[in-house]
Amino acid sequence: MIDLTAFRRDLHAHPEIGFDLTRTPDRITAALESTGLKVTRGLGGSGLVATLNRGPDETAIGFRADMDALPIEEANDLPWRSVTKGKFHGCGHDGHSTMLLGAALKLAADPTLKRTIHFIFQPDEENGNGAKAMIRDGLFERFPMTAIYGLHNMPGMAPGHFATQPGPFCAFEDNFEIRIQGKGGHASMPDKGVDPIVTASAIVLQLQSVVSRSLPASEHGVVSVTEFLTDGARNILPGNVTLRGDCRGFSDAVSTTIEQRMRAIVEGVCIAQGAQGAVDYSTSFRPLVNDATATQRIANAARTIGTLNDSFGRVGFSEDFAEFLKHRPGAFILMGNGLEGNHAMPLHNPSYDFNDAAIAHGVDFWVKLALPDM
């Protein structure tokens, strides 16, 4: 058995982002193949699947971990600090890959297991493209499975503690860009032009009514304008304004409502102000919806390892694992990363670090979940 802590720290020190993964899958593949597991490379570009073939396809399941890091400069001064400027495992995918690897090695060494398991190592989770790419490359056709499961660490929750719930669990993420064209001119003569800043400001304010007036109180929704860009200057009224932002919620219906209302608001305000407007609206992440039966299975496995909150409530971040759940039933669970220091720092914070003390909990969770009676 390899030293999993050393393996995790090595991945942390050498982060790779998006689909540009070479060293990370090479290291994982070498460790998997050392035990005789069959590894298939190149799914979704740089993804890989290792198969433990111990039973019929009718009982096969998939376990997934993500491999990619973030384009962030690390703030930690640790011996395993990132050696690559501007790249950093600030979400714990180094830990996720290490835990799934450890489980694969442990299960491969257990001759009593009578089930086929596909260990899925995914690229580009952070941008929401990796799962789609693996699916397009035939993940579910080439590796038949009846269900698929995922795990993510959670800072601020104790190691050995797990949390999940059936139904909607992680939010969708939609992105928008609104382009407003007015008529620029001298700042002292706004009446001679069409001020797109005034138009854009009215749109920003009106967008805040989508959640309060177009969605029922029972539905969660967020509409955030995060960028306000102009081509004006100190004494120049701009001719163009660009607004960009982010929307969140937990159902496709909420996403549709937000998009429809946004387009109507932009059109109406622009007509009133004499400006021209255009909206680009896209979905980066689907809402993640846990299957009830699969959630019960991961809950049973978690209870054998530590403590569990199986009605944790919905979480506002998005997860690419949601794409897999559109094709197969499955479930997603959170696992505690720690309550102190950089283990409790928020995900994507430059001072975050995955807790090596949590590795054993994650390995044991996957091993338990592999048992047919879970």
Side-chain angles (χ1 to χ4, degrees):
M1 189 71 172
I2 66 172
D3 183 334
L4 293 179
T5 294
F7 189 91
R8 199 284 298 182
R9 293 179 178 181
D10 177 74
L11 292 186
H12 186 96
H14 300 89
E16 298 173 302
I17 63 175
F19 288 105
D20 297 328
L21 309 179
T22 302
R23 187 184 187 279
T24 303
D26 283 348
R27 293 276 288 127
I28 292 170
T29 296
L32 292 166
E33 289 182 338
S34 69
T35 63
L37 284 167
K38 179 183 177 182
V39 179
T40 303
R41 300 284 298 269
L43 270 86
S46 48
L48 65 95
V49 178
T51 298
L52 181 62
N53 199 338
R54 296 279 183 81
D57 289 345
E58 292 75 22
T59 63
I61 55 177
F63 294 165
R64 172 273 206 172
D66 34 23
M67 298 184 289
D68 57 318
L70 290 160
I72 299 175
E73 183 71 17
E74 182 171 6
N76 294 315
D77 186 18
L78 299 165
W80 52 91
R81 187 185 192 278
S82 171
V83 300
T84 307
K85 185 173 179 60
K87 296 180 182 179
F88 163 51
H89 268 295
C91 201
H93 296 185
D94 49 345
H96 300 167
S97 291
T98 299
M99 292 185 294
L100 187 58
L101 169 65
L105 300 181
K106 196 168 184 178
L107 290 167
D110 180 6
T112 66
L113 181 67
K114 305 300 180 185
R115 166 179 262 175
T116 291
I117 301 175
H118 303 295
F119 302 95
I120 303 159
F121 294 84
Q122 179 201 318
D124 202 37
E125 188 281 326
E126 293 293 353
N127 296 309
N129 298 314
K132 294 176 186 176
M134 296 190 81
I135 292 166
R136 281 196 303 268
D137 278 354
L139 173 68
F140 293 117
E141 293 75 27
R142 296 168 65 181
F143 305 94
M145 61 190 79
T146 60
I148 186 168
Y149 299 92
L151 175 152
H152 203 293
N153 78 95
M154 178 57 74
M157 197 162 71
H161 185 73
F162 295 82
T164 189
Q165 71 169 31
F169 191 38
C170 299
F172 67 74
E173 180 186 2
D174 291 348
N175 306 111
F176 63 86
E177 180 176 285
I178 301 169
R179 295 180 301 280
I180 301 141
Q181 182 179 3
K183 181 180 177 182
H186 200 287
S188 68
M189 295 180 285
D191 56 302
K192 304 298 184 183
V194 176
D195 189 349
I197 288 183
V198 172
T199 304
S201 298
I203 289 171
V204 171
L205 292 175
Q206 286 298 311
L207 287 176
Q208 306 315 304
S209 71
V210 173
V211 172
S212 64
R213 291 296 179 267
S214 297
L215 292 172
S218 59
E219 292 285 357
H220 175 84
V222 175
V223 179
S224 295
V225 177
T226 57
E227 295 182 77
F228 195 123
L229 310 172
T230 84
D231 58 0
R234 179 179 60 84
N235 61 350
I236 301 170
L237 290 177
N240 298 279
V241 168
T242 298
L243 303 174
R244 297 192 185 113
D246 183 273
C247 306
R248 304 285 174 138
F250 292 92
S251 72
D252 292 333
V254 169
S255 173
T256 299
T257 297
I258 292 173
E259 179 180 4
Q260 290 175 344
R261 291 296 302 131
M262 181 177 293
R263 292 186 183 279
I265 287 168
V266 171
E267 180 181 8
V269 172
C270 284
I271 289 173
Q273 298 289 335
Q276 300 293 318
V279 178
D280 289 335
Y281 195 96
S282 61
T283 296
S284 298
F285 293 85
R286 297 176 182 270
L288 188 153
V289 182
N290 280 338
D291 174 80
T293 300
T295 304
Q296 188 59 54
R297 289 181 180 138
I298 60 172
N300 291 341
R303 286 190 184 96
T304 67
I305 306 305
T307 57
L308 170 73
N309 182 346
D310 58 3
S311 56
F312 185 71
R314 300 177 296 187
V315 293
F317 61 72
S318 301
E319 213 341 299
D320 196 22
F321 186 76
E323 197 68 32
F324 294 126
L325 297 182
K326 288 291 184 178
H327 297 264
R328 292 293 184 277
F332 193 71
I333 196 167
L334 304 176
M335 184 190 77
N337 192 61
L339 300 172
E340 298 178 348
N342 51 15
H343 301 146
M345 286 290 180
L347 299 171
H348 295 206
N349 183 286
S351 296
Y352 163 90
D353 189 39
F354 183 84
N355 189 351
D356 292 317
I359 293 175
H361 297 295
V363 171
D364 289 346
F365 167 78
W366 286 125
V367 169
K368 291 292 185 182
L369 188 58
L371 300 178
D373 57 351
M374 279 296 156

